[in-house]
Amino acid sequence: MTRYFALSLIFLLATACAEPPPPPTPDAMAMPIDPHVAAVGRDPDPQPEALRDALRQFRDRFACNSISGCPAEATLLNFGWTARPYVQQVFDKAPEQAQYRARAVRVVAELRDPLARTFLRDRLQDADPETRAYAIFGLGLLDDRELVHLLPSVGRDDPTAWMAPVRLSALWLALRWGDPTAQRAFLQQLALLANQQMAVQGLVWGLTLCMRDDGPHCQAVLPLIARHPNFLVRRAVAKAMALAPLPSYGAGLVALTTESARSISEPAEQALRVLSRQDLHGPAEWRRWCAATGCQQAADAAIAALAAELTPTTR
Protein backbone atom coordinates (compact mmCIF):
# COMPACT_ATOMS: atom_id res chain seq x y z
CA MET A 1 0.00 0.00 0.00
CA THR A 2 2.84 2.38 0.92
CA ARG A 3 4.49 1.66 -2.42
CA TYR A 4 1.23 2.34 -4.32
CA PHE A 5 0.74 5.63 -2.41
CA ALA A 6 4.28 6.72 -3.27
CA LEU A 7 3.82 6.07 -7.01
CA SER A 8 0.55 8.02 -7.04
CA LEU A 9 2.19 10.97 -5.31
CA ILE A 10 5.03 11.01 -7.86
CA PHE A 11 2.51 11.00 -10.79
CA LEU A 12 0.53 13.92 -9.32
CA LEU A 13 3.68 15.98 -8.76
CA ALA A 14 4.88 15.35 -12.35
CA THR A 15 1.51 16.40 -13.78
CA ALA A 16 1.43 19.58 -11.72
CA CYS A 17 4.92 20.60 -12.82
CA ALA A 18 4.35 20.00 -16.56
CA GLU A 19 4.04 23.08 -18.84
CA PRO A 20 0.44 23.90 -19.80
CA PRO A 21 -0.44 23.62 -23.53
CA PRO A 22 -0.11 26.89 -25.52
CA PRO A 23 -3.31 28.90 -26.01
CA PRO A 24 -4.92 28.73 -29.47
CA THR A 25 -3.67 31.32 -31.94
CA PRO A 26 -6.04 34.08 -33.09
CA ASP A 27 -6.12 32.60 -36.63
CA ALA A 28 -7.13 29.22 -35.30
CA MET A 29 -9.85 30.78 -33.17
CA ALA A 30 -11.16 32.96 -36.01
CA MET A 31 -11.07 30.33 -38.78
CA PRO A 32 -12.04 26.90 -37.45
CA ILE A 33 -11.61 24.08 -39.93
CA ASP A 34 -14.90 22.82 -41.30
CA PRO A 35 -14.78 19.03 -40.90
CA HIS A 36 -16.97 18.63 -44.01
CA VAL A 37 -14.51 20.62 -46.11
CA ALA A 38 -11.55 18.75 -44.67
CA ALA A 39 -13.25 15.41 -45.32
CA VAL A 40 -14.29 15.89 -48.96
CA GLY A 41 -11.94 18.68 -50.08
CA ARG A 42 -14.74 20.97 -51.31
CA ASP A 43 -14.21 24.62 -52.21
CA PRO A 44 -15.62 26.71 -49.32
CA ASP A 45 -16.60 29.39 -51.88
CA PRO A 46 -18.09 27.35 -54.75
CA GLN A 47 -19.17 28.65 -58.16
CA PRO A 48 -22.86 29.67 -58.07
CA GLU A 49 -25.06 26.91 -59.42
CA ALA A 50 -26.86 29.24 -61.85
CA LEU A 51 -23.52 30.35 -63.29
CA ARG A 52 -22.32 26.78 -63.64
CA ASP A 53 -25.55 25.80 -65.41
CA ALA A 54 -25.30 28.79 -67.76
CA LEU A 55 -21.73 27.86 -68.70
CA ARG A 56 -22.81 24.30 -69.42
CA GLN A 57 -25.74 25.44 -71.60
CA PHE A 58 -23.47 27.96 -73.32
CA ARG A 59 -21.36 25.05 -74.60
CA ASP A 60 -24.36 22.96 -75.60
CA ARG A 61 -25.01 23.44 -79.33
CA PHE A 62 -28.67 22.50 -78.89
CA ALA A 63 -29.27 25.00 -76.07
CA CYS A 64 -27.17 27.78 -77.57
CA ASN A 65 -26.90 28.37 -81.31
CA SER A 66 -27.48 30.97 -84.01
CA ILE A 67 -30.86 29.54 -85.03
CA SER A 68 -32.77 29.15 -81.76
CA GLY A 69 -30.79 31.69 -79.75
CA CYS A 70 -28.70 31.46 -76.60
CA PRO A 71 -30.53 32.29 -73.33
CA ALA A 72 -27.37 31.40 -71.42
CA GLU A 73 -25.72 34.57 -72.74
CA ALA A 74 -28.17 36.78 -70.86
CA THR A 75 -27.59 34.78 -67.68
CA LEU A 76 -23.82 35.17 -67.97
CA LEU A 77 -24.12 38.89 -68.63
CA ASN A 78 -26.34 39.25 -65.56
CA PHE A 79 -23.51 37.90 -63.42
CA GLY A 80 -21.38 40.86 -64.53
CA TRP A 81 -17.63 40.82 -64.06
CA THR A 82 -17.91 37.70 -61.89
CA ALA A 83 -18.55 35.66 -65.03
CA ARG A 84 -15.62 37.03 -67.02
CA PRO A 85 -12.82 34.62 -65.92
CA TYR A 86 -15.12 31.62 -66.32
CA VAL A 87 -16.11 32.64 -69.85
CA GLN A 88 -12.45 33.13 -70.71
CA GLN A 89 -11.79 29.58 -69.50
CA VAL A 90 -14.54 28.37 -71.83
CA PHE A 91 -12.72 30.02 -74.72
CA ASP A 92 -9.32 28.71 -73.69
CA LYS A 93 -10.59 25.12 -73.55
CA ALA A 94 -12.77 25.30 -76.66
CA PRO A 95 -11.82 23.26 -79.75
CA GLU A 96 -10.88 25.35 -82.76
CA GLN A 97 -14.15 24.54 -84.55
CA ALA A 98 -16.46 24.89 -81.54
CA GLN A 99 -19.45 27.09 -82.38
CA TYR A 100 -19.28 28.75 -78.95
CA ARG A 101 -15.62 29.78 -79.22
CA ALA A 102 -16.18 33.17 -80.89
CA ARG A 103 -19.37 33.71 -78.91
CA ALA A 104 -17.36 33.49 -75.69
CA VAL A 105 -15.23 36.43 -76.85
CA ARG A 106 -18.37 38.42 -77.58
CA VAL A 107 -19.72 37.78 -74.07
CA VAL A 108 -16.39 38.85 -72.56
CA ALA A 109 -16.56 41.99 -74.70
CA GLU A 110 -20.07 42.86 -73.59
CA LEU A 111 -19.16 42.41 -69.92
CA ARG A 112 -16.84 45.45 -70.27
CA ASP A 113 -14.47 44.24 -67.57
CA PRO A 114 -11.23 46.29 -67.72
CA LEU A 115 -9.34 43.17 -66.67
CA ALA A 116 -10.25 41.61 -70.02
CA ARG A 117 -8.01 43.98 -72.03
CA THR A 118 -5.10 41.56 -72.32
CA PHE A 119 -7.39 38.68 -73.24
CA LEU A 120 -9.08 40.75 -75.96
CA ARG A 121 -5.79 42.11 -77.34
CA ASP A 122 -4.48 38.58 -77.66
CA ARG A 123 -7.48 37.74 -79.85
CA LEU A 124 -6.71 40.42 -82.45
CA GLN A 125 -4.56 37.99 -84.43
CA ASP A 126 -6.92 35.03 -84.14
CA ALA A 127 -7.48 33.02 -87.32
CA ASP A 128 -11.27 33.25 -86.94
CA PRO A 129 -12.68 36.58 -88.22
CA GLU A 130 -15.64 36.59 -85.83
CA THR A 131 -13.30 36.18 -82.87
CA ARG A 132 -11.18 39.08 -84.10
CA ALA A 133 -14.26 41.21 -84.75
CA TYR A 134 -15.59 40.67 -81.23
CA ALA A 135 -12.17 41.45 -79.76
CA ILE A 136 -12.12 44.82 -81.58
CA PHE A 137 -15.68 45.42 -80.41
CA GLY A 138 -14.77 44.69 -76.79
CA LEU A 139 -11.69 46.88 -76.84
CA GLY A 140 -13.82 49.64 -78.34
CA LEU A 141 -16.30 49.34 -75.49
CA LEU A 142 -13.34 49.69 -73.11
CA ASP A 143 -12.13 52.71 -75.11
CA ASP A 144 -8.73 51.14 -75.64
CA ARG A 145 -6.98 53.87 -77.63
CA GLU A 146 -4.03 51.64 -78.45
CA LEU A 147 -6.19 50.42 -81.33
CA VAL A 148 -6.12 53.82 -83.03
CA HIS A 149 -3.02 53.02 -85.09
CA LEU A 150 -4.46 49.65 -86.13
CA LEU A 151 -7.82 50.85 -87.48
CA PRO A 152 -6.62 52.05 -90.91
CA SER A 153 -5.29 48.60 -91.78
CA VAL A 154 -7.18 46.08 -89.63
CA GLY A 155 -9.05 43.58 -91.73
CA ARG A 156 -8.04 45.17 -95.03
CA ASP A 157 -5.37 42.57 -95.71
CA ASP A 158 -8.24 40.34 -96.89
CA PRO A 159 -11.11 42.13 -98.67
CA THR A 160 -13.28 39.02 -98.96
CA ALA A 161 -16.63 38.44 -97.27
CA TRP A 162 -14.82 36.08 -94.88
CA MET A 163 -13.12 39.04 -93.18
CA ALA A 164 -16.18 41.33 -93.29
CA PRO A 165 -16.91 41.09 -89.53
CA VAL A 166 -13.43 42.43 -88.78
CA ARG A 167 -13.78 45.35 -91.20
CA LEU A 168 -17.22 46.23 -89.85
CA SER A 169 -16.03 46.23 -86.23
CA ALA A 170 -13.12 48.46 -87.20
CA LEU A 171 -15.44 50.89 -89.01
CA TRP A 172 -17.89 50.91 -86.08
CA LEU A 173 -15.03 51.81 -83.76
CA ALA A 174 -13.70 54.47 -86.13
CA LEU A 175 -17.17 56.01 -86.23
CA ARG A 176 -17.39 55.82 -82.45
CA TRP A 177 -14.11 57.72 -82.22
CA GLY A 178 -15.22 60.45 -84.61
CA ASP A 179 -13.95 59.42 -88.06
CA PRO A 180 -16.22 61.32 -90.51
CA THR A 181 -15.57 58.81 -93.31
CA ALA A 182 -16.60 55.73 -91.35
CA GLN A 183 -20.37 56.12 -91.83
CA ARG A 184 -20.23 55.99 -95.64
CA ALA A 185 -17.61 53.22 -95.60
CA PHE A 186 -19.80 51.12 -93.31
CA LEU A 187 -22.79 51.44 -95.67
CA GLN A 188 -20.57 50.56 -98.63
CA GLN A 189 -19.51 47.39 -96.90
CA LEU A 190 -23.09 46.36 -96.15
CA ALA A 191 -24.23 47.16 -99.70
CA LEU A 192 -21.47 44.98 -101.14
CA LEU A 193 -22.22 42.14 -98.73
CA ALA A 194 -25.96 42.30 -99.46
CA ASN A 195 -25.28 40.86 -102.93
CA GLN A 196 -23.16 37.95 -101.67
CA GLN A 197 -24.81 34.74 -100.54
CA MET A 198 -21.79 33.72 -98.43
CA ALA A 199 -21.64 36.99 -96.49
CA VAL A 200 -24.00 35.83 -93.73
CA GLN A 201 -21.66 36.39 -90.77
CA GLY A 202 -20.72 39.86 -91.90
CA LEU A 203 -24.30 40.96 -92.59
CA VAL A 204 -25.69 39.65 -89.31
CA TRP A 205 -22.87 41.28 -87.33
CA GLY A 206 -23.18 44.50 -89.31
CA LEU A 207 -26.92 44.67 -88.64
CA THR A 208 -26.25 44.02 -84.97
CA LEU A 209 -23.94 47.04 -84.90
CA CYS A 210 -26.55 49.08 -86.82
CA MET A 211 -29.10 48.46 -84.06
CA ARG A 212 -26.83 49.81 -81.33
CA ASP A 213 -27.37 53.34 -80.05
CA ASP A 214 -23.73 54.12 -80.92
CA GLY A 215 -23.93 52.35 -84.26
CA PRO A 216 -24.02 53.75 -87.81
CA HIS A 217 -27.22 54.90 -89.50
CA CYS A 218 -28.13 52.00 -91.76
CA GLN A 219 -31.66 52.90 -92.90
CA ALA A 220 -30.61 53.45 -96.52
CA VAL A 221 -29.22 49.93 -96.97
CA LEU A 222 -31.94 47.90 -95.21
CA PRO A 223 -34.29 47.58 -98.22
CA LEU A 224 -31.43 46.02 -100.17
CA ILE A 225 -30.42 43.62 -97.38
CA ALA A 226 -34.06 42.51 -97.00
CA ARG A 227 -33.70 40.69 -100.34
CA HIS A 228 -30.91 38.43 -99.09
CA PRO A 229 -31.66 34.69 -99.40
CA ASN A 230 -30.30 33.65 -96.00
CA PHE A 231 -32.68 33.10 -93.08
CA LEU A 232 -30.37 34.59 -90.44
CA VAL A 233 -29.88 37.76 -92.47
CA ARG A 234 -33.61 38.17 -93.11
CA ARG A 235 -34.36 37.70 -89.42
CA ALA A 236 -31.80 40.34 -88.45
CA VAL A 237 -33.02 42.85 -91.04
CA ALA A 238 -36.66 42.31 -90.00
CA LYS A 239 -35.68 43.22 -86.45
CA ALA A 240 -33.70 46.25 -87.64
CA MET A 241 -36.54 47.59 -89.82
CA ALA A 242 -39.08 47.07 -87.05
CA LEU A 243 -37.22 49.52 -84.79
CA ALA A 244 -38.34 52.53 -86.83
CA PRO A 245 -40.28 51.60 -89.99
CA LEU A 246 -39.85 53.80 -93.08
CA PRO A 247 -41.85 53.84 -96.36
CA SER A 248 -38.86 52.41 -98.22
CA TYR A 249 -39.09 49.30 -96.02
CA GLY A 250 -42.64 48.46 -97.10
CA ALA A 251 -41.94 46.00 -99.93
CA GLY A 252 -39.24 44.21 -97.96
CA LEU A 253 -41.48 43.89 -94.93
CA VAL A 254 -44.38 42.57 -97.03
CA ALA A 255 -42.08 39.88 -98.45
CA LEU A 256 -40.98 38.96 -94.93
CA THR A 257 -44.58 38.37 -93.81
CA THR A 258 -44.57 35.22 -95.97
CA GLU A 259 -41.86 33.62 -93.84
CA SER A 260 -42.83 30.46 -91.98
CA ALA A 261 -40.58 31.46 -89.08
CA ARG A 262 -42.52 33.64 -86.65
CA SER A 263 -39.26 35.31 -85.58
CA ILE A 264 -39.34 36.98 -89.01
CA SER A 265 -43.01 37.28 -89.95
CA GLU A 266 -44.20 38.70 -86.63
CA PRO A 267 -41.80 41.69 -86.43
CA ALA A 268 -42.44 42.32 -90.12
CA GLU A 269 -46.20 42.50 -89.63
CA GLN A 270 -45.81 44.62 -86.51
CA ALA A 271 -43.62 47.07 -88.44
CA LEU A 272 -46.16 47.22 -91.28
CA ARG A 273 -48.98 48.06 -88.86
CA VAL A 274 -46.90 50.93 -87.51
CA LEU A 275 -46.01 52.06 -91.02
CA SER A 276 -49.50 51.76 -92.52
CA ARG A 277 -51.51 52.58 -89.40
CA GLN A 278 -53.80 49.73 -90.41
CA ASP A 279 -54.62 46.54 -88.53
CA LEU A 280 -54.10 44.12 -91.40
CA HIS A 281 -53.11 40.48 -91.10
CA GLY A 282 -51.49 37.93 -93.40
CA PRO A 283 -49.39 38.24 -96.57
CA ALA A 284 -52.41 38.57 -98.88
CA GLU A 285 -53.75 41.67 -97.14
CA TRP A 286 -50.31 43.23 -97.00
CA ARG A 287 -49.68 42.59 -100.69
CA ARG A 288 -52.91 44.41 -101.52
CA TRP A 289 -51.83 47.29 -99.29
CA CYS A 290 -48.45 47.41 -101.02
CA ALA A 291 -50.05 47.49 -104.47
CA ALA A 292 -52.38 50.31 -103.40
CA THR A 293 -49.61 52.44 -101.88
CA GLY A 294 -46.83 51.78 -104.38
CA CYS A 295 -44.50 50.40 -101.73
CA GLN A 296 -42.51 48.38 -104.27
CA GLN A 297 -41.70 51.52 -106.24
CA ALA A 298 -40.58 53.23 -103.02
CA ALA A 299 -38.21 50.36 -102.24
CA ASP A 300 -36.79 50.29 -105.78
CA ALA A 301 -36.22 54.04 -105.69
CA ALA A 302 -34.44 53.79 -102.33
CA ILE A 303 -32.14 51.04 -103.59
CA ALA A 304 -31.32 53.02 -106.75
CA ALA A 305 -30.58 56.12 -104.69
CA LEU A 306 -28.26 54.12 -102.46
CA ALA A 307 -26.36 52.77 -105.45
CA ALA A 308 -25.98 56.28 -106.87
CA GLU A 309 -24.78 57.65 -103.54
CA LEU A 310 -22.19 54.94 -102.98
CA THR A 311 -20.85 54.79 -106.53
CA PRO A 312 -17.58 56.72 -106.81
CA THR A 313 -17.77 59.66 -109.21
CA THR A 314 -14.94 60.80 -111.47
CA ARG A 315 -14.28 64.48 -111.88
Side-chain angles (χ1 to χ4, degrees):
M1 177 65 72
T2 303
R3 182 181 177 184
Y4 174 77
F5 177 79
L7 291 174
S8 299
L9 181 61
I10 292 171
F11 176 78
L12 291 174
L13 290 173
T15 303
C17 296
E19 294 184 3
T25 62
D27 290 343
M29 296 175 63
M31 300 179 62
I33 298 176
D34 186 342
H36 297 90
V37 174
V40 300
R42 290 178 179 172
D43 185 353
D45 186 21
Q47 185 183 110
E49 183 177 355
L51 177 57
R52 184 170 61 252
D53 290 343
L55 291 168
R56 183 176 63 252
Q57 293 175 19
F58 186 79
R59 298 189 298 269
D60 186 336
R61 62 190 178 93
F62 297 104
C64 182
N65 56 72
S66 59
I67 302 297
S68 59
C70 186
E73 282 190 23
T75 303
L76 294 172
L77 291 174
N78 285 337
F79 272 96
W81 293 355
T82 300
R84 191 264 310 161
Y86 299 108
V87 180
Q88 286 184 202
Q89 289 176 9
V90 167
F91 174 89
D92 292 336
K93 296 179 180 180
E96 287 294 325
Q97 300 303 319
Q99 53 85 26
Y100 58 82
R101 185 175 180 271
R103 186 181 289 115
V105 178
R106 179 175 174 179
V107 171
V108 170
E110 292 182 346
L111 286 170
R112 303 192 186 201
D113 184 353
L115 294 181
R117 288 179 189 269
T118 300
F119 172 81
L120 293 172
R121 288 172 182 168
D122 290 343
R123 308 283 80 77
L124 292 176
Q125 301 303 321
D126 197 276
D128 176 52
E130 279 193 291
T131 298
R132 292 173 64 180
Y134 298 152
I136 296 170
F137 175 65
L139 291 170
L141 293 177
L142 294 174
D143 201 33
D144 190 339
R145 295 285 171 163
E146 290 191 15
L147 280 181
V148 170
H149 67 283
L150 293 176
L151 291 185
S153 59
V154 67
R156 297 182 185 179
D157 53 333
D158 184 348
T160 63
W162 171 250
M163 291 300 296
V166 180
R167 294 195 299 273
L168 291 169
S169 283
L171 289 170
W172 164 80
L173 184 53
L175 179 65
R176 181 183 176 93
W177 286 345
D179 183 349
T181 67
Q183 169 67 41
R184 187 173 188 273
F186 195 98
L187 290 185
Q188 284 180 318
Q189 286 293 315
L190 289 184
L192 291 172
L193 296 173
N195 295 313
Q196 302 181 47
Q197 293 188 16
M198 303 303 293
V200 175
Q201 291 180 341
L203 285 169
V204 171
W205 178 234
L207 289 168
T208 301
L209 294 173
C210 290
M211 287 184 278
R212 290 181 55 85
D213 292 338
D214 59 358
H217 301 294
C218 303
Q219 293 88 338
V221 77
L222 297 186
L224 179 61
I225 298 176
R227 300 179 176 183
H228 199 274
N230 183 268
F231 162 82
L232 295 176
V233 175
R234 295 197 305 275
R235 184 174 66 181
V237 78
K239 183 178 179 181
M241 290 194 294
L243 292 177
L246 297 175
S248 59
Y249 299 171
L253 290 169
V254 169
L256 294 176
T257 63
T258 65
E259 298 277 349
S260 58
R262 295 174 61 185
S263 59
I264 298 178
S265 60
E266 287 186 354
E269 287 212 59
Q270 184 180 6
L272 284 169
R273 293 188 190 102
V274 173
L275 181 62
S276 67
R277 300 183 181 179
Q278 298 184 43
D279 189 21
L280 303 180
H281 298 270
E285 290 189 2
W286 288 117
R287 280 195 291 265
R288 286 193 290 270
W289 169 84
C290 185
T293 59
C295 76
Q296 184 62 60
Q297 290 84 347
D300 292 342
I303 293 172
L306 174 69
E309 179 183 351
L310 298 181
T311 300
T313 57
T314 57
R315 296 182 178 178

